[in-house]
Amino acid sequence: MHIEGIRACVLNLGLKTMKTEDLINKLARDAKPTRTLSPLSSRLFLWVFVALVSIGIGVAIFGMRPDLTQKLGTSNFMLENAAILIIALCAAFGALVLSVPVGERKTRIKWLPAIGVVIWFGILVSKLFTSQIFHLDCGFSCIRDIALLGFIPGALLFYMVKKGASTHPGAAGFLAVLAATSFGSLGVQFLCKNDEAIHVLLWHLTPALLLGFIGYALSRPLLRW
Amino acid sequence: MDSERDRKFSIMMAQAQNGNQIIYEALLKEVAVVMSGYLRKRIYDHAFVEDVLQEILISLHKAKHTYKPESPFMPWLFAIAEFRLIDFLRKYTKIRNREVTGLEVEHSYDPAVDAKKEDLSEKMDAALSALTPKQKKVVELLKVQHFSVKEVASQLNMSESAVKVNAHRGYQSLRLKLGVEDDEN
């Protein structure tokens, strides 16, 4: 039975199982040379490298779209990919910034990926209005591929965030998964033949954003410290 | 003054990261003084200040590896403090909003009353051992694990009213053993 817990909750006495002075002595005795976290830039670089390699392998395994060479020459396709890359990099950067204790002002960084989202959304909406083709199809396989391709980068980034000590775990978890699913979406751009704006909007962009909430939900059990 | 203190703490923390236990102890003591003042302005119930302070010190210890000596120390420290304070306030509100009544918490700002509570704390173990196993279980589930009456009832295969009766008797017994009834009335 958690006697201290009962003491605190029932009698409002607090968890004074140890005097603060004794605790300080104990913590000081426990102090050993500490290896500090690597600089943010090197952690980000490592993550981007692993993410690119894993997405590359994933795309090779799932099979690239047949018209990829042709697509790589179109500015719209490249612009979309650049926007996705911006989302992924900004989200990963934000997750790593928030992986250590930071003040409230720095948490504004969580909005950074919005730049990429707005660009991608803008491209898709403009395509939607100019294109004559407009039919809804089912893209569950795209969601599956985003999740599969983003799994390794997501797990790695979550681990990197956990190695810190986040004072904003919800935002850090959301950004970590958003970064991974954005990379997943980038991979899906190389797999999925359907370039229609409505398809990309509904089955590539929206799931990438929504899956981020899984990171938010996971932050509570996984990023506690 | 503040920047001087920040620089001093920063240097001390860098030495603590290198394993200097004496400097680390001195740093923690100074941090405790700063944090104590910070918490007393924010926690209404001063009986909890010490607990939150200890939480902050433990968190600082756990997050030691995330501090970069070239960056300011105070924003890093206050980020941890705020995080733990919010955590505490959330838990505290949850406890205050429990649906089971019986042993309402009393807010005290009187050091004499606090000292009396300290004394009560020492008697707590003995008082708990006087409860029946069922009462103990009910009190634990309601007050430590924060389950609702309904959840406790289903877990222990009891009716809701039986849970309430057991909780009430448990609280009564605790009050009696600890002599806190007079404090509350």
Side-chain angles (χ1 to χ4, degrees):
Chain A
M1 195 162 194
H2 310 283
I3 289 170
E4 289 78 22
I6 295 175
R7 199 178 284 148
C9 302
V10 179
L11 294 171
N12 193 22
L13 293 173
L15 293 162
K16 291 172 193 143
T17 54
M18 192 185 263
K19 282 185 184 165
T20 302
E21 209 161 302
D22 295 338
L23 175 73
I24 289 174
N25 287 336
K26 192 176 172 290
L27 294 178
R29 275 201 308 276
D30 193 38
K32 290 176 188 76
T34 314
R35 211 179 136 202
T36 53
L37 284 179
S38 325
L40 193 144
S41 53
S42 55
R43 282 184 290 150
L44 182 64
F45 183 78
L46 172 73
W47 181 77
V48 171
F49 177 75
V50 173
L52 283 175
V53 169
S54 92
I55 298 291
I57 293 171
V59 169
I61 292 170
F62 292 160
M64 278 181 254
R65 55 194 285 182
D67 60 343
L68 185 62
T69 342
Q70 202 184 327
K71 276 280 146 197
L72 286 172
T74 62
S75 58
N76 239 352
F77 182 74
M78 293 311 283
L79 214 60
E80 268 186 56
N81 291 342
I84 303 169
L85 205 58
I86 290 172
I87 302 173
L89 294 178
C90 289
F93 177 70
L96 292 174
V97 167
L98 296 181
S99 70
V100 297
V102 288
E104 207 52 49
R105 211 185 298 171
K106 269 200 177 174
T107 60
R108 290 181 198 154
I109 206 146
K110 66 186 168 202
W111 297 109
L112 206 58
I115 301 168
V117 175
V118 169
I119 297 173
W120 195 10
F121 187 77
I123 296 167
L124 293 176
V125 169
S126 71
K127 246 171 96 179
L128 205 63
F129 284 111
T130 51
S131 146
Q132 298 300 314
I133 318 157
F134 193 91
H135 73 273
L136 285 170
D137 65 345
C138 182
F140 281 116
S141 61
C142 294
I143 298 181
R144 183 202 58 206
D145 292 346
I146 289 171
L148 287 174
L149 290 172
F151 184 77
I152 291 174
L156 176 66
L157 196 51
F158 230 84
Y159 171 73
M160 287 169 131
V161 172
K162 186 162 177 62
K163 266 185 81 178
S166 180
T167 49
H168 299 87
F174 177 84
L175 290 176
V177 174
L178 177 64
T181 54
S182 302
F183 257 119
S185 290
L186 186 65
V188 168
Q189 293 278 99
F190 294 87
L191 299 173
C192 177
K193 284 179 290 193
N194 195 341
D195 275 332
E196 276 181 46
I198 190 74
H199 172 84
V200 177
L201 192 66
L202 286 179
W203 302 105
H204 295 191
L205 170 63
T206 309
L209 297 179
L210 293 180
L211 285 169
F213 287 99
I214 292 177
Y216 180 82
L218 286 176
S219 69
R220 248 182 114 78
L222 296 181
L223 298 180
R224 281 184 79 85
W225 57 284
Chain B
M1 175 67 188
D2 272 357
S3 67
E4 237 172 68
R5 187 172 63 179
D6 195 292
R7 223 175 4 254
K8 183 180 145 198
F9 282 0
S10 195
I11 293 165
M12 288 170 94
M13 189 57 166
Q15 287 175 306
Q17 285 175 332
N18 288 331
N20 190 329
Q21 299 186 348
I22 297 163
I23 298 284
Y24 187 40
E25 187 173 348
L27 172 69
L28 289 176
K29 279 180 181 163
E30 292 207 37
V31 164
V33 173
V34 175
M35 282 297 118
S36 200
Y38 168 80
L39 293 172
R40 274 177 204 284
K41 283 182 198 154
R42 284 159 182 85
I43 299 178
Y44 223 40
D45 190 335
H46 287 193
F48 282 110
V49 168
E50 198 78 357
D51 296 331
V52 184
L53 172 63
Q54 291 191 6
E55 278 291 327
I56 292 170
L57 292 173
I58 293 168
S59 302
L60 181 151
H61 185 72
K62 282 188 193 165
K64 216 163 67 210
H65 66 292
T66 66
Y67 177 68
K68 298 253 170 272
E70 62 273 14
S71 40
F73 181 82
M74 289 314 232
W76 178 82
L77 172 66
F78 278 101
I80 294 174
E82 202 171 308
F83 178 57
R84 286 301 172 216
L85 179 64
I86 291 169
D87 219 25
F88 160 76
L89 292 173
R90 209 175 280 147
K91 279 182 201 158
Y92 183 76
T93 314
K94 204 174 163 188
I95 293 165
R96 296 289 302 165
N97 294 339
R98 279 292 97 191
E99 50 188 300
V100 174
T101 55
L103 196 64
E104 277 300 314
V105 289
E106 180 76 16
H107 289 268
S108 158
Y109 308 102
D110 185 351
V113 176
D114 282 352
K116 193 176 175 186
K117 283 185 175 178
E118 286 273 4
D119 184 39
L120 284 174
S121 166
E122 284 162 20
K123 294 175 186 168
M124 190 65 192
D125 296 12
L128 280 166
S129 60
L131 299 183
T132 65
K134 200 166 264 181
Q135 285 170 353
K136 253 190 208 174
K137 194 74 201 162
V138 167
V139 171
E140 184 200 356
L141 291 172
L142 288 171
K143 293 296 183 183
V144 179
Q145 298 188 24
H146 311 307
F147 286 111
S148 67
V149 174
K150 204 173 174 183
E151 288 163 338
V152 175
S154 78
Q155 271 191 50
L156 300 179
N157 207 15
M158 291 163 79
S159 68
E160 283 183 37
S161 55
V163 170
K164 284 179 184 169
V165 167
N166 269 285
H168 183 68
R169 284 184 186 158
Y171 302 146
Q172 256 187 340
S173 166
L174 287 174
R175 281 199 201 108
L176 205 68
K177 296 271 181 217
L178 298 164
V180 293
E181 207 161 35
D182 292 344
D183 283 357
E184 290 186 24
N185 295 332

